[in-house]
Structures are given as C-alpha cells and as structure tokens.
Amino acid sequence: MTQMNITGRATRIAIIANNKYQSRRVASKLFAAFKDDKDFYLSKKNPDVVISIGGDGMLLSAFHMYKKELDRVRFVGVHTGHLGFYTDYRDFEVDKLIETLRCDKGEMISYPTLKVRVTLEDGRTITSRALNEATIKRIEKTMVADVVINNVKFERFRGDGLSVSTPTGSTAYNKSLGGAILHPTMEALQLTEISSINNRVYRTIGSSMIIPKKDHIEIIPKRQGMYTISVDNKTVHYKNVAKIEYWIGSKKIHFVASPFHTSFWERVKDAFIGDLDS
Ligand code: NAD
C-alpha cells in the first residue's frame, strides 16, 4: 500500500539528532529505512514530520528550528535515555516508530505554545515563542517589576525573577520552582516566582498562578540594568527592558499521534516517582 501524506505526495521527513553515539545510530537506522522508500522523502527543508533523536532538550531545539512552520509540521521524539516528556519512543523502539510512520494517516496530538514579546525602552520589540517556558531574571541585583494581569496591576515583585510556563513546560523548570503540574490539554499559562522577597515591607502572592487562555501577562521592570531572558534553552541579555508580555499563542505544536503514546500521568510518575513496588 502506498503511504502518501494528506496532500498526496510522499511524506517529507527531517531527522534531527544530537551528537551522542546512540542518537547517531538511531538516525542511521531511520535513514536506511526511508531513503529508498518512494512513500518518504528525506529532507530538512519543508518537512511534514520532524523526528528528533536525543532527549527533551533535542526536541526543544527541533521545535525552535521549525517554529515558523508549526501549522504544517508534526514532531515525533526518540529518546536515547529515559522516556522523556516530549518523546514517545526509546532508542530500542525504532522499528515501532517506522511502523507508525508507514501506517500514518496524519493524526496528531496538539499542545499550546507561549508567545513572548520583549519591548525595549527605545521602542524595539523582539517576539518569540516557547514550548516550555520563558523567564526574566536580573542577575546582579534584585529584580523589581510590576506584574500586570489583564490590565490589572497585580503586584510589585522583588526577587530573582519570574517564569511563565506552558502546560507541557509545567513539569520542567516550573516544577523546580514549586509550580503545579498541568495536564497539557489545558490551555493555560502558569506564572511562577523565582526567589521572591516576602517580609513585612515587601509582598508578593507567593504561590504560582494558573492564567487562562484569554488573559495576558505583562512584567514591567522598575529598574534599569541588564535582564536575562530565557526562552526554553536559549538565553539572551537585554539592557533597558520596558516590558515583557506573555500570552498563549494561536499556533500549537503538533505531535504524530502514536499508538505507543504513553499517558501524561505515566510520564509524570515515571519521571518523578518511579516504581511503587520497589
Ligand atoms: P536539558 O536538555 O539538559 O534539560 C534539562 C532537564 O529538563 C532535562 O532533564 C530534561 O529532560 C528536562 N526537561 C526539559 N523539558 C521538560 C519538560 N517539558 N518536562 C519535564 N522535564 C523536562 O537542558 P536544556 O537544553 O537547557 O533544556 C532547557 C530546559 O531545561 C528549560 O526549558 C527548562 O525547563 C529546563 N531547566 C530546568 C531547570 C531546573 O529545573 N532548575 C533550570 C534550568 C532549565
């Protein structure tokens, strides 16, 4: 049976791997499986499916490589370590992945992404998109910033910084900061503090907050200086940030719907709790 994609042409596959020996081995196996198959076309340009081989960090990099093509691209992750949060297959399950792609009918699972816009004091704006989270920190001095939620001036924050995460990012840095775990089908953002100062003089809410899709968050720094802004695994330093805004983007990330997809709660248990019988 010829397995074409929904446009009727061969499925274009991009294979992206990190430099680990195991990852290169998986990549070679996938190249060998698809290279002479008329139903598939291996190309890093305009792919229909991006296969990321490595870990969650590699999937984040693949997302950033193809973030301008989110409407068209579906991702699938192979983990060359433990099962990850964005990876459905382990390195010894490559045959299962090949089978999934041969039977693929274009089904997908989609999760929200986060839009971030930094406005500098000279009026320039830099817009980006995150899969896990975006953070703003001030390294050399206390960050003082107003937090505005849907035009309500909510609090004046003092501390190291603030993180805004997506539902899929809730198990990453957000969790280390004491944030809640959100099921990735929930379209909401989470605002989490990084070492806030709370005493008789200064006050912040203290707990992380779940913000619905319709709402938008603004952070307005109150002191000039250098700010460190991280979007997933990329970090940039900006001087004189006027404000940073966050909202749920209209574009989602799509994953190949896999019959081997492990439930979210299994992944959370596997990553953070382990085997209950041991
Ligand atoms: P990395 O690839 O080494 O990732 C760091 C760890 O975060 C890995 O164990 C990875 O599996 C895990 N991770 C990534 N996304 C996850 C997710 N959605 N759910 C659960 N775990 C996840 O390092 P990197 O390439 O710099 O990755 C950047 C990510 O690392 C950031 O997006 C941030 O979420 C995370 N991070 C975590 C901390 C922390 O927990 N203290 C600090 C900095 C960055």
Side-chain angles (χ1 to χ4, degrees):
M1 191 183 84
T2 301
Q3 185 60 56
M4 298 288 175
N5 77 2
I6 44 173
T7 63
R9 60 176 168 78
T11 303
R12 294 172 74 93
I13 294 198
I15 299 174
I16 315 286
N18 66 17
N19 275 332
K20 271 171 69 177
Y21 170 71
Q22 281 159 296
S23 304
R24 282 188 277 122
R25 252 187 39 179
V26 170
S28 304
K29 191 163 179 186
L30 288 167
F31 271 115
F34 294 127
K35 86 172 158 35
D36 294 323
D37 190 322
K38 65 180 176 15
D39 297 334
F40 295 94
Y41 181 74
L42 289 164
S43 170
K44 290 203 171 149
K45 230 175 142 193
N46 304 324
D48 302 304
V49 172
V50 173
I51 305 176
S52 141
I53 308 164
D56 290 324
M58 194 60 218
L59 195 289
L60 286 175
S61 299
F63 166 80
H64 284 280
M65 268 180 227
Y66 292 101
K67 67 185 167 203
K68 291 207 162 61
E69 299 171 55
L70 288 184
D71 284 340
R72 208 169 35 78
V73 170
R74 288 178 300 147
F75 294 82
V76 59
V78 181
H79 209 297
T80 46
H82 303 283
L83 187 66
F85 276 86
Y86 292 118
T87 48
D88 273 325
Y89 298 86
R90 275 165 282 190
D91 46 358
F92 54 86
E93 296 174 317
V94 178
D95 291 333
K96 282 185 180 177
L97 170 57
I98 295 167
E99 186 194 325
T100 301
L101 291 174
R102 288 196 196 288
C103 303
D104 178 43
K105 299 270 185 293
E107 291 99 342
M108 57 180 93
I109 299 175
S110 307
Y111 299 131
T113 60
L114 164 70
K115 282 291 278 185
V116 189
R117 181 166 54 218
V118 179
T119 304
L120 303 179
E121 278 180 350
D122 63 8
R124 276 183 297 149
T125 58
I126 304 104
T127 307
S128 190
R129 187 184 296 277
L131 180 55
N132 267 353
E133 78 287 294
T135 61
I136 175 165
K137 293 182 193 169
R138 189 160 187 231
I139 304 296
E140 74 274 9
K141 283 199 166 171
T142 302
M143 180 172 114
V144 181
D146 285 346
V147 176
V148 181
I149 303 173
N150 249 15
N151 302 319
V152 174
K153 188 175 157 190
F154 184 75
E155 65 181 11
R156 178 153 293 175
F157 173 89
R158 286 178 176 82
D160 283 359
L162 289 155
S163 160
V164 178
S165 81
T166 64
T168 51
S170 68
T171 46
Y173 192 22
N174 169 75
K175 184 177 181 302
S176 303
L177 297 171
I181 293 179
L182 249 71
H183 193 280
T185 50
M186 299 180 77
E187 293 200 72
L189 296 177
Q190 188 164 177
L191 174 64
T192 315
E193 299 178 354
I194 307 174
S195 299
S196 58
I197 300 175
N198 267 289
N199 53 33
R200 286 168 55 156
V201 184
Y202 302 134
R203 188 170 304 283
T204 64
I205 192 77
S207 50
S208 77
M209 292 197 292
I210 313 290
I211 313 285
K213 183 180 179 180
K214 67 177 184 50
D215 287 358
H216 133 283
I217 304 169
E218 278 170 86
I219 295 171
I220 304 170
K222 289 287 149 193
R223 283 182 180 167
Q224 300 241 327
M226 202 58 107
Y227 287 87
T228 301
I229 293 174
S230 297
V231 174
D232 296 335
N233 48 8
K234 302 238 166 7
T235 297
V236 184
H237 305 281
Y238 292 111
K239 221 175 171 183
N240 304 331
V241 175
K243 66 176 172 183
I244 174 162
E245 298 160 275
Y246 309 84
W247 66 97
I248 292 184
S250 54
K251 291 182 197 293
K252 293 185 166 190
I253 182 169
H254 307 301
F255 287 91
V256 171
S258 157
F260 306 105
H261 186 78
T262 316
S263 94
F264 178 69
W265 299 120
E266 278 293 337
R267 283 167 204 254
V268 174
K269 182 186 161 218
D270 185 64
F272 300 112
I273 304 292
D275 192 352
L276 290 181
D277 300 327
S278 59

